[in-house]
């Protein structure tokens, strides 16, 4: 079957800044499951999945406006060290995860003080044109429960 809205697509992907080396590569682990049409992934990637079938491998180039948006200047925020995970590497230039009301968010460490850390809250891939290498491993219909939740369940998806 072809991928359409409300399909669950299981994909391997790698993503690189266009012309650069991979920033993320799912092949170091398990493929991810995406419920298509529910903004589980950036719009440029979701649109590229529609109409694809199992076994297809393709590249897609996504501009910032269909990706992680533009970079904002003056996006430095000062946060207490306690909001960071204990194992986070707090060094300038490192990407770390913080907890926000909307869930986890990746930020880039800008400057580290005694009790506070200045971070750049732009998404690390904001403002970048990205090239994705996608391989479709599996396609199935989303269940009514998955569609109600807005995400895929099971392998590569939400476990709950
Ligand atoms: Zn769920």
């Amino acid at each position: 079957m072809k991928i359409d809205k409300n399909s669950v697509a299981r994909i391997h992907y790698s993503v690189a800044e266009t012309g650069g080396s991979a920033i993320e590569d799912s092949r170091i682990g398990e493929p991810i499951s995406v419920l298509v049409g529910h903004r589980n992934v950036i719009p440029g990637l979701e649109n590229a999945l529609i109409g694809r079938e199992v076994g297809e491998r393709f590249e897609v180039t996504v501009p910032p406006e269909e990706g992680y948006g533009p970079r904002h200047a003056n996006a430095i925020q000062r946060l207490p060290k306690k909001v960071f995970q204990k194992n986070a590497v707090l060094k300038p230039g490192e990407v770390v995860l913080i907890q926000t009301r909307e869930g986890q968010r990746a930020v880039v460490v800008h400057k580290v003080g005694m009790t506070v850390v200045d971070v750049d809250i732009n998404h690390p891939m904001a403002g970048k044109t990205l090239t994705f290498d996608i391989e479709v491993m599996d396609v199935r219909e989303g269940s009514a429960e998955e569609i109600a939740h807005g995400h895929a369940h099971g392998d590569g998806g939400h476990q709950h």
Side-chain angles (χ1 to χ4, degrees), residues 76-82 84 88-96 107-120:
I76 304 295
Q77 260 188 25
R78 179 156 290 181
L79 300 171
K81 270 190 178 166
K82 63 172 192 272
F84 298 90
V89 181
L90 296 178
K91 275 200 292 199
E94 292 287 337
V95 176
V96 295
V107 298
V108 180
V109 176
H110 184 68
K111 204 171 104 184
V112 182
M114 289 289 282
T115 58
V116 295
V117 179
D118 290 350
V119 297
D120 184 338

mmCIF file of all heavy atoms in Angstrom, residues 76-82 84 88-96 107-120:
data_model
loop_
_atom_site.group_PDB
_atom_site.id
_atom_site.type_symbol
_atom_site.label_atom_id
_atom_site.label_comp_id
_atom_site.label_asym_id
_atom_site.label_seq_id
_atom_site.Cartn_x
_atom_site.Cartn_y
_atom_site.Cartn_z
ATOM 1 N N ILE A 76 18.961 33.691 23.131
ATOM 2 C CA ILE A 76 19.722 33.155 24.263
ATOM 3 C C ILE A 76 18.876 33.255 25.533
ATOM 4 O O ILE A 76 18.310 34.309 25.827
ATOM 5 C CB ILE A 76 21.038 33.953 24.470
ATOM 6 C CG1 ILE A 76 21.886 33.953 23.191
ATOM 7 C CG2 ILE A 76 21.822 33.408 25.667
ATOM 8 C CD1 ILE A 76 22.402 32.605 22.772
ATOM 9 N N GLN A 77 18.772 32.150 26.253
ATOM 10 C CA GLN A 77 18.030 32.154 27.520
ATOM 11 C C GLN A 77 18.906 31.628 28.634
ATOM 12 O O GLN A 77 19.685 30.699 28.424
ATOM 13 C CB GLN A 77 16.789 31.268 27.398
ATOM 14 C CG GLN A 77 15.544 32.100 27.157
ATOM 15 C CD GLN A 77 14.279 31.279 27.220
ATOM 16 O OE1 GLN A 77 14.223 30.230 27.856
ATOM 17 N NE2 GLN A 77 13.253 31.762 26.547
ATOM 18 N N ARG A 78 18.782 32.239 29.822
ATOM 19 C CA ARG A 78 19.558 31.810 30.991
ATOM 20 C C ARG A 78 18.704 30.859 31.817
ATOM 21 O O ARG A 78 17.594 31.203 32.202
ATOM 22 C CB ARG A 78 19.955 33.036 31.797
ATOM 23 C CG ARG A 78 20.746 32.719 33.048
ATOM 24 C CD ARG A 78 21.600 33.898 33.475
ATOM 25 N NE ARG A 78 22.698 34.096 32.535
ATOM 26 C CZ ARG A 78 23.637 35.042 32.660
ATOM 27 N NH1 ARG A 78 23.590 35.879 33.681
ATOM 28 N NH2 ARG A 78 24.603 35.159 31.778
ATOM 29 N N LEU A 79 19.219 29.660 32.058
ATOM 30 C CA LEU A 79 18.454 28.634 32.778
ATOM 31 C C LEU A 79 19.265 28.123 33.960
ATOM 32 O O LEU A 79 20.489 28.021 33.876
ATOM 33 C CB LEU A 79 18.159 27.447 31.842
ATOM 34 C CG LEU A 79 17.347 27.757 30.576
ATOM 35 C CD1 LEU A 79 17.332 26.543 29.662
ATOM 36 C CD2 LEU A 79 15.932 28.172 30.934
ATOM 37 N N PRO A 80 18.562 27.757 35.055
ATOM 38 C CA PRO A 80 19.284 27.131 36.172
ATOM 39 C C PRO A 80 19.813 25.759 35.757
ATOM 40 O O PRO A 80 19.176 25.058 34.959
ATOM 41 C CB PRO A 80 18.214 26.993 37.263
ATOM 42 C CG PRO A 80 16.907 27.115 36.565
ATOM 43 C CD PRO A 80 17.123 27.896 35.302
ATOM 44 N N LYS A 81 20.966 25.376 36.302
ATOM 45 C CA LYS A 81 21.579 24.101 35.915
ATOM 46 C C LYS A 81 20.654 22.918 36.200
ATOM 47 O O LYS A 81 20.747 21.894 35.534
ATOM 48 C CB LYS A 81 22.906 23.900 36.657
ATOM 49 C CG LYS A 81 24.093 24.469 35.891
ATOM 50 C CD LYS A 81 25.412 24.061 36.511
ATOM 51 C CE LYS A 81 26.547 24.623 35.669
ATOM 52 N NZ LYS A 81 27.841 24.565 36.365
ATOM 53 N N LYS A 82 19.762 23.076 37.198
ATOM 54 C CA LYS A 82 18.948 21.924 37.595
ATOM 55 C C LYS A 82 17.939 21.487 36.524
ATOM 56 O O LYS A 82 17.410 20.395 36.603
ATOM 57 C CB LYS A 82 18.257 22.178 38.934
ATOM 58 C CG LYS A 82 17.270 23.326 38.941
ATOM 59 C CD LYS A 82 16.508 23.351 40.274
ATOM 60 C CE LYS A 82 15.333 24.280 40.227
ATOM 61 N NZ LYS A 82 15.649 25.662 40.582
ATOM 62 N N PHE A 84 18.679 20.741 33.576
ATOM 63 C CA PHE A 84 19.352 19.850 32.629
ATOM 64 C C PHE A 84 19.438 18.439 33.196
ATOM 65 O O PHE A 84 19.498 18.252 34.415
ATOM 66 C CB PHE A 84 20.759 20.371 32.317
ATOM 67 C CG PHE A 84 20.731 21.723 31.658
ATOM 68 C CD1 PHE A 84 20.765 22.885 32.411
ATOM 69 C CD2 PHE A 84 20.627 21.823 30.277
ATOM 70 C CE1 PHE A 84 20.709 24.130 31.802
ATOM 71 C CE2 PHE A 84 20.567 23.069 29.675
ATOM 72 C CZ PHE A 84 20.606 24.223 30.434
ATOM 73 N N ALA A 88 23.881 15.401 31.043
ATOM 74 C CA ALA A 88 24.045 16.349 29.928
ATOM 75 C C ALA A 88 25.474 16.902 29.909
ATOM 76 O O ALA A 88 26.054 17.182 30.967
ATOM 77 C CB ALA A 88 23.046 17.499 30.075
ATOM 78 N N VAL A 89 26.032 17.037 28.712
ATOM 79 C CA VAL A 89 27.374 17.605 28.572
ATOM 80 C C VAL A 89 27.220 19.118 28.417
ATOM 81 O O VAL A 89 26.796 19.611 27.375
ATOM 82 C CB VAL A 89 28.094 17.012 27.337
ATOM 83 C CG1 VAL A 89 29.501 17.603 27.216
ATOM 84 C CG2 VAL A 89 28.156 15.491 27.433
ATOM 85 N N LEU A 90 27.533 19.856 29.486
ATOM 86 C CA LEU A 90 27.330 21.305 29.472
ATOM 87 C C LEU A 90 28.611 22.004 29.021
ATOM 88 O O LEU A 90 29.415 22.463 29.826
ATOM 89 C CB LEU A 90 26.873 21.783 30.854
ATOM 90 C CG LEU A 90 25.516 21.228 31.306
ATOM 91 C CD1 LEU A 90 25.163 21.696 32.702
ATOM 92 C CD2 LEU A 90 24.405 21.593 30.315
ATOM 93 N N LYS A 91 28.794 22.022 27.708
ATOM 94 C CA LYS A 91 29.946 22.695 27.096
ATOM 95 C C LYS A 91 29.441 23.491 25.905
ATOM 96 O O LYS A 91 28.533 23.032 25.193
ATOM 97 C CB LYS A 91 30.962 21.652 26.586
ATOM 98 C CG LYS A 91 31.933 21.172 27.660
ATOM 99 C CD LYS A 91 33.187 20.547 27.034
ATOM 100 C CE LYS A 91 32.884 19.255 26.328
ATOM 101 N NZ LYS A 91 34.019 18.386 26.086
ATOM 102 N N PRO A 92 29.996 24.696 25.674
ATOM 103 C CA PRO A 92 29.513 25.493 24.542
ATOM 104 C C PRO A 92 29.499 24.696 23.235
ATOM 105 O O PRO A 92 30.450 23.966 22.938
ATOM 106 C CB PRO A 92 30.524 26.638 24.476
ATOM 107 C CG PRO A 92 31.008 26.785 25.882
ATOM 108 C CD PRO A 92 31.062 25.378 26.429
ATOM 109 N N GLY A 93 28.388 24.819 22.509
ATOM 110 C CA GLY A 93 28.256 24.123 21.229
ATOM 111 C C GLY A 93 27.575 22.775 21.328
ATOM 112 O O GLY A 93 27.121 22.233 20.326
ATOM 113 N N GLU A 94 27.460 22.220 22.549
ATOM 114 C CA GLU A 94 26.808 20.910 22.700
ATOM 115 C C GLU A 94 25.286 21.055 22.610
ATOM 116 O O GLU A 94 24.721 22.022 23.112
ATOM 117 C CB GLU A 94 27.155 20.285 24.060
ATOM 118 C CG GLU A 94 28.608 19.871 24.216
ATOM 119 C CD GLU A 94 28.954 18.627 23.420
ATOM 120 O OE1 GLU A 94 28.035 17.837 23.104
ATOM 121 O OE2 GLU A 94 30.150 18.444 23.105
ATOM 122 N N VAL A 95 24.649 20.076 21.993
ATOM 123 C CA VAL A 95 23.187 20.030 21.951
ATOM 124 C C VAL A 95 22.708 19.221 23.147
ATOM 125 O O VAL A 95 23.175 18.101 23.368
ATOM 126 C CB VAL A 95 22.696 19.380 20.640
ATOM 127 C CG1 VAL A 95 21.174 19.246 20.652
ATOM 128 C CG2 VAL A 95 23.154 20.206 19.443
ATOM 129 N N VAL A 96 21.824 19.803 23.961
ATOM 130 C CA VAL A 96 21.291 19.092 25.126
ATOM 131 C C VAL A 96 19.766 19.198 25.131
ATOM 132 O O VAL A 96 19.191 20.072 24.485
ATOM 133 C CB VAL A 96 21.849 19.661 26.456
ATOM 134 C CG1 VAL A 96 23.345 19.428 26.557
ATOM 135 C CG2 VAL A 96 21.537 21.144 26.597
ATOM 136 N N VAL A 107 18.312 22.155 22.752
ATOM 137 C CA VAL A 107 18.874 23.505 22.726
ATOM 138 C C VAL A 107 20.398 23.382 22.611
ATOM 139 O O VAL A 107 20.955 22.320 22.834
ATOM 140 C CB VAL A 107 18.508 24.309 23.998
ATOM 141 C CG1 VAL A 107 17.009 24.494 24.120
ATOM 142 C CG2 VAL A 107 19.081 23.652 25.251
ATOM 143 N N VAL A 108 21.047 24.482 22.256
ATOM 144 C CA VAL A 108 22.500 24.467 22.110
ATOM 145 C C VAL A 108 23.117 25.278 23.253
ATOM 146 O O VAL A 108 22.715 26.417 23.498
ATOM 147 C CB VAL A 108 22.929 25.057 20.744
ATOM 148 C CG1 VAL A 108 24.447 25.043 20.604
ATOM 149 C CG2 VAL A 108 22.276 24.285 19.599
ATOM 150 N N VAL A 109 24.066 24.674 23.952
ATOM 151 C CA VAL A 109 24.733 25.361 25.063
ATOM 152 C C VAL A 109 25.560 26.517 24.506
ATOM 153 O O VAL A 109 26.319 26.357 23.540
ATOM 154 C CB VAL A 109 25.644 24.392 25.848
ATOM 155 C CG1 VAL A 109 26.407 25.144 26.946
ATOM 156 C CG2 VAL A 109 24.821 23.250 26.437
ATOM 157 N N HIS A 110 25.382 27.690 25.124
ATOM 158 C CA HIS A 110 26.071 28.892 24.665
ATOM 159 C C HIS A 110 27.201 29.252 25.646
ATOM 160 O O HIS A 110 28.345 29.447 25.246
ATOM 161 C CB HIS A 110 25.042 30.022 24.559
ATOM 162 C CG HIS A 110 25.574 31.298 24.014
ATOM 163 N ND1 HIS A 110 25.976 31.435 22.700
ATOM 164 C CD2 HIS A 110 25.767 32.498 24.608
ATOM 165 C CE1 HIS A 110 26.398 32.680 22.520
ATOM 166 N NE2 HIS A 110 26.293 33.340 23.647
ATOM 167 N N LYS A 111 26.874 29.329 26.937
ATOM 168 C CA LYS A 111 27.858 29.712 27.946
ATOM 169 C C LYS A 111 27.487 29.030 29.258
ATOM 170 O O LYS A 111 26.302 28.908 29.576
ATOM 171 C CB LYS A 111 27.813 31.237 28.130
ATOM 172 C CG LYS A 111 29.078 31.858 28.672
ATOM 173 C CD LYS A 111 28.995 33.380 28.612
ATOM 174 C CE LYS A 111 28.737 33.943 29.995
ATOM 175 N NZ LYS A 111 28.557 35.416 29.971
ATOM 176 N N VAL A 112 28.468 28.561 30.006
ATOM 177 C CA VAL A 112 28.199 27.843 31.253
ATOM 178 C C VAL A 112 28.735 28.625 32.441
ATOM 179 O O VAL A 112 29.915 28.997 32.472
ATOM 180 C CB VAL A 112 28.857 26.436 31.218
ATOM 181 C CG1 VAL A 112 28.537 25.662 32.499
ATOM 182 C CG2 VAL A 112 28.392 25.670 29.984
ATOM 183 N N GLY A 113 27.855 28.914 33.418
ATOM 184 C CA GLY A 113 28.265 29.601 34.644
ATOM 185 C C GLY A 113 28.287 28.628 35.811
ATOM 186 O O GLY A 113 28.199 27.412 35.627
ATOM 187 N N MET A 114 28.403 29.169 37.038
ATOM 188 C CA MET A 114 28.446 28.303 38.227
ATOM 189 C C MET A 114 27.110 27.601 38.444
ATOM 190 O O MET A 114 27.066 26.405 38.696
ATOM 191 C CB MET A 114 28.757 29.152 39.468
ATOM 192 C CG MET A 114 30.169 29.669 39.531
ATOM 193 S SD MET A 114 31.369 28.354 39.872
ATOM 194 C CE MET A 114 31.125 28.162 41.645
ATOM 195 N N THR A 115 26.014 28.371 38.388
ATOM 196 C CA THR A 115 24.702 27.783 38.699
ATOM 197 C C THR A 115 23.724 27.921 37.541
ATOM 198 O O THR A 115 22.627 27.392 37.601
ATOM 199 C CB THR A 115 24.082 28.470 39.935
ATOM 200 O OG1 THR A 115 23.978 29.869 39.645
ATOM 201 C CG2 THR A 115 24.931 28.266 41.169
ATOM 202 N N VAL A 116 24.124 28.673 36.513
ATOM 203 C CA VAL A 116 23.218 28.889 35.382
ATOM 204 C C VAL A 116 23.937 28.556 34.081
ATOM 205 O O VAL A 116 25.165 28.532 34.012
ATOM 206 C CB VAL A 116 22.717 30.351 35.306
ATOM 207 C CG1 VAL A 116 21.855 30.677 36.509
ATOM 208 C CG2 VAL A 116 23.865 31.313 35.148
ATOM 209 N N VAL A 117 23.108 28.287 33.053
ATOM 210 C CA VAL A 117 23.643 27.987 31.734
ATOM 211 C C VAL A 117 22.886 28.837 30.722
ATOM 212 O O VAL A 117 21.650 28.895 30.765
ATOM 213 C CB VAL A 117 23.464 26.493 31.384
ATOM 214 C CG1 VAL A 117 24.015 26.187 29.998
ATOM 215 C CG2 VAL A 117 24.150 25.612 32.425
ATOM 216 N N ASP A 118 23.613 29.526 29.863
ATOM 217 C CA ASP A 118 22.959 30.253 28.774
ATOM 218 C C ASP A 118 22.839 29.312 27.581
ATOM 219 O O ASP A 118 23.838 28.711 27.159
ATOM 220 C CB ASP A 118 23.782 31.480 28.367
ATOM 221 C CG ASP A 118 23.768 32.562 29.449
ATOM 222 O OD1 ASP A 118 22.977 32.437 30.401
ATOM 223 O OD2 ASP A 118 24.544 33.516 29.324
ATOM 224 N N VAL A 119 21.625 29.182 27.073
ATOM 225 C CA VAL A 119 21.408 28.303 25.921
ATOM 226 C C VAL A 119 20.771 29.091 24.780
ATOM 227 O O VAL A 119 20.093 30.098 25.007
ATOM 228 C CB VAL A 119 20.491 27.103 26.273
ATOM 229 C CG1 VAL A 119 21.128 26.224 27.326
ATOM 230 C CG2 VAL A 119 19.105 27.561 26.692
ATOM 231 N N ASP A 120 21.017 28.624 23.584
ATOM 232 C CA ASP A 120 20.360 29.156 22.385
ATOM 233 C C ASP A 120 19.149 28.266 22.147
ATOM 234 O O ASP A 120 19.293 27.071 21.902
ATOM 235 C CB ASP A 120 21.346 29.083 21.210
ATOM 236 C CG ASP A 120 20.794 29.707 19.947
ATOM 237 O OD1 ASP A 120 19.554 29.811 19.821
ATOM 238 O OD2 ASP A 120 21.602 30.071 19.081
#
